[in-house]
Each structure stands twice: as C-alpha cells, then as structure tokens.
C-alpha cells in the first residue's frame, strides 16, 4: 500500500502523532531514496524538506520552485512509502488565497496528508510585486494576509473530505522579525484561521520553547540540528513535533563534495568509508511498495 490516494483515516492517523511531550520526530526527506531510508529507520511519517527537494531539482530554495515540479516530487515520495507524508509547500506556490486552494488540491492528489505553509516573503512576492527589500513590505506577510491563505487551505482540504494537517510556519525568530509575543499573536490568528499546528524554526532556546509551548493553543513544531537540545529535552518541554529541515540533505551533499575533492586532489577515497552496503540499498530501494 502507498499513499497515492490519501484517505480520511491516513490523515487522522498523521494528526494523532502530534502529542505534546511525545513528539513526532521527522528526519526530513527530499527524494524517494531518502524517504525510504527514513521509513526504514522507523519514522512514523515522512516529511519533505523544501530546500532539499528544490536542490534535488536544480533550483534554489525560497519560493523559486514551481508547483507542478514540487508536487511531482512529493507524489514520488508518497508513492515510495507506506507511512503518512507531509509536504513542505513553502508559501503555497501561489500569489493569492485562491491559488492556495489549487495547491492544496494538488497536494492531496500527490498523496500527502499534511503541509507546512510559511509566512515569509521573498523577493518578487506580494500584491505590489515587491518583497523583502522593496521598502513596502516586511520580511513576513501580514497576519491578515497569511490567515486568509491558511483559511483557503483549510477550506480546500475540507471540501475534499481530507482532514489535512496544516502546520503554520512562523518565521519571526528565524528572520529576526519578532519575539515570543509577536509569534504568539500570529499563532493565535493562524490557528483560528484553520491551522492545526505551529512551526517556529529558529526557536531552540529552552526558555523560548517553554514560552511558546505554554502560549500556543496547539501542537508546537521546532527545527533541530547540531547544537539544538535533544529530542528528550524538547519532549520534556512539551514539544509535539521535531523536524530536521534541510540538515540531513546538507550533510549528504557535504559527503559528495568531500569525496569528490579528495578523489580529484589527493587521489584517495577515505571519505567514502562508512557508506551503505550496495546490496542492502539495492534491495531496499528496488523493492515494490
């Protein structure tokens, strides 16, 4: 069984994995190989990383990838695994709320039962054609605009009969656009608009995380990497979801660069030590789902 046709039950099962104090841990994937490896490692669900996926398709991260290519990759991931899949759809691959609805319908058709939707603005975005640095808009969408986009996502999913888990990403901390108070204001508005959870990348300080857990009326997702508190420590703070984002993809690509440079300069191969067994990979990735 694969996730090409998401069901009400699959979506409910994914939703039930978000438990404060017993967090859903997501080693984010970016292609079919990484998705199957994550599943094989024991992950209860697979979530895509928009950055890793964009890089795999030869595009920079940051709302530069078009909807069809992005969701084509999500569909391949969903078809490769048995566990629920959540798609990082950046800002929604749409300029307005109506377009967000179209994206959600495409997400469901791709087989995903969850999405991340972020409130960051990038160059060239916005109703006035501007974005970061244009002088007319800040680094984040307004609360009202983002709430409208989330409401459109909720309406599209509800119309399809799938209880899609909408994870509203808030980039206040990551972009230096606000502290806990501003984050909680956005979180309340986005949850009221139909979001199911709140994702605050950049918030790993235990005091900040504790304040967010206490103030957010829904499951809190944090982004981790080297130097962040452990899963056990974040669980003790009440976090409900933990993501690695692009970190695993970055580490994988670092191996490629190290191995290539070593081979081309020193003519040696020590960077390849510890690679997965060929037969094991061939069996895992070549097996039917």
């Amino acid at each position: 069984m694969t996730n090409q046709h998401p069901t009400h039950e699959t979506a409910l099962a994914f939703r039930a994995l978000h438990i404060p104090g017993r967090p859903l841990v997501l080693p984010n994937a970016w292609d079919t190989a990484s998705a199957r490896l994550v599943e094989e490692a024991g992950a209860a669900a697979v979530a895509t990383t928009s950055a890793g996926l964009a890089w795999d398709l030869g595009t920079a991260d940051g709302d530069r990838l078009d909807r069809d290519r992005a969701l084509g990759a999500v569909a391949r991931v969903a078809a490769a695994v048995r566990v629920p899949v959540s798609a990082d759809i950046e800002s929604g691959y749409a300029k307005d709320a109506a377009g967000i609805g179209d994206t959600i319908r495409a997400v469901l058709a791709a087989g995903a039962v969850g999405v991340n939707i972020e409130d960051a603005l990038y160059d060239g975005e916005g109703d006035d054609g501007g974005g970061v640095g244009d002088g007319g808009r800040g680094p984040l969408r307004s609360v009202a605009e983002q709430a409208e986009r989330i409401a459109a996502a909720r309406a599209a999913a509800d119309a399809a009969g799938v209880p899609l888990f909408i994870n509203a990403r808030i980039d206040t901390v990551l972009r230096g656009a606000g502290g806990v108070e501003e984050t909680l204001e956005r979180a309340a508005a986005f949850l009221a608009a139909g979001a199911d959870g709140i994702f605050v990348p950049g918030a790993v300080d235990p005091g900040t995380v504790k304040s967010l857990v206490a103030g957010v009326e829904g499951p809190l997702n944090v982004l981790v990497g080297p130097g962040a508190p452990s899963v056990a420590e974040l669980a003790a703070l009440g976090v409900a979801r933990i993501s690695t984002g692009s970190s695993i993809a970055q580490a994988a690509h670092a191996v490629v660069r190290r191995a290539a440079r070593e081979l081309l300069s020193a003519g040696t191969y020590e960077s390849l030590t510890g690679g997965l067994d060929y037969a094991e990979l061939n069996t895992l990735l070549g097996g039917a789902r």
Side-chain angles (χ1 to χ4, degrees), residues 97-122:
I100 292 288
D102 293 336
T103 296
I104 294 303
R105 285 183 281 275
V107 165
L108 296 176
V113 293
V115 291
N116 282 4
I117 304 177
E118 65 190 66
D119 60 358
L121 278 168
Y122 296 92

Side-chain angles (χ1 to χ4, degrees), residues 8-9 53 59 66 74 118 142-144 150 186 188 193 212 282-283:
H8 188 273
E9 291 73 22
L53 192 150
T59 303
D66 66 89
V74 170
E118 65 190 66
S142 72
V143 172
I150 290 170
R186 285 179 171 265
L212 291 174
N282 209 40
T283 299

Side-chain angles (χ1 to χ4, degrees), residues 185-229:
E185 176 189 351
R186 285 179 171 265
F190 299 163
L191 290 168
D196 299 290
I198 298 298
F199 179 26
V200 188
V204 291
D205 171 75
T208 300
V209 172
K210 186 175 181 180
S211 296
L212 291 174
V213 167
V216 172
E217 296 294 328
L220 180 70
N221 180 186
V222 299
L223 181 69
V224 297

Side-chain angles (χ1 to χ4, degrees), residues 7 24-25 30 45 65 83 88 115 212 277:
T7 65
L24 169 62
V25 180
W30 62 94
L65 191 61
V83 296
D88 183 345
V115 291
L212 291 174
D277 179 74

Side-chain angles (χ1 to χ4, degrees), residues 165-181:
F165 191 97
I166 299 174
N167 202 29
R169 172 173 151 173
I170 300 175
D171 276 0
T172 43
V173 177
L174 192 65
R175 290 196 162 206
V180 170
E181 183 177 345

Side-chain angles (χ1 to χ4, degrees), residues 1-287:
M1 173 182 164
T2 64
N3 298 309
Q4 289 176 298
H5 302 288
T7 65
H8 188 273
E9 291 73 22
T10 305
L12 287 178
F14 179 66
R15 179 181 295 271
L17 295 171
H18 296 76
I19 303 172
R22 290 174 50 197
L24 169 62
V25 180
L26 297 168
N28 296 79
W30 62 94
D31 60 8
T32 58
S34 59
R36 282 202 179 180
L37 287 167
V38 165
E39 180 186 38
E40 188 265 345
V46 169
T48 62
T49 157
S50 67
L53 192 150
W55 297 333
D56 187 57
L57 296 175
T59 303
D61 188 31
D63 275 349
R64 293 174 174 86
L65 191 61
D66 66 89
R67 178 195 293 157
D68 289 346
R69 293 182 71 209
L71 296 184
V74 170
R76 291 190 291 276
V77 166
V81 298
R82 296 186 179 94
V83 296
V85 171
S86 183
D88 183 345
I89 59 171
E90 303 187 60
S91 295
Y93 306 121
K95 289 187 175 295
D96 54 27
I100 292 288
D102 293 336
T103 296
I104 294 303
R105 285 183 281 275
V107 165
L108 296 176
V113 293
V115 291
N116 282 4
I117 304 177
E118 65 190 66
D119 60 358
L121 278 168
Y122 296 92
D123 288 330
E125 283 195 277
D127 296 337
D128 58 0
V132 179
D134 74 333
R137 296 171 66 105
L140 306 181
R141 295 183 190 276
S142 72
V143 172
E145 181 184 6
Q146 186 67 2
E148 181 184 16
R149 293 165 75 87
I150 290 170
R154 179 83 279 148
D158 288 350
V162 178
L164 181 79
F165 191 97
I166 299 174
N167 202 29
R169 172 173 151 173
I170 300 175
D171 276 0
T172 43
V173 177
L174 192 65
R175 290 196 162 206
V180 170
E181 183 177 345
E182 292 81 3
T183 303
L184 293 178
E185 176 189 351
R186 285 179 171 265
F190 299 163
L191 290 168
D196 299 290
I198 298 298
F199 179 26
V200 188
V204 291
D205 171 75
T208 300
V209 172
K210 186 175 181 180
S211 296
L212 291 174
V213 167
V216 172
E217 296 294 328
L220 180 70
N221 180 186
V222 299
L223 181 69
V224 297
S230 69
V231 168
E233 290 170 321
L234 291 169
L237 292 171
V239 171
R241 177 166 165 170
I242 297 171
S243 307
T244 56
S246 62
S247 296
I248 296 176
Q250 290 172 251
H253 297 320
V255 172
V256 175
R257 184 164 71 176
R258 282 198 302 271
R261 287 180 173 176
E262 180 188 357
L263 177 63
L264 295 171
S265 59
T268 54
Y269 332 104
E270 294 309 307
S271 296
L272 300 177
T273 302
L276 291 175
D277 179 74
Y278 172 88
E280 179 186 2
L281 270 178
N282 209 40
T283 299
L284 175 66
L285 301 179

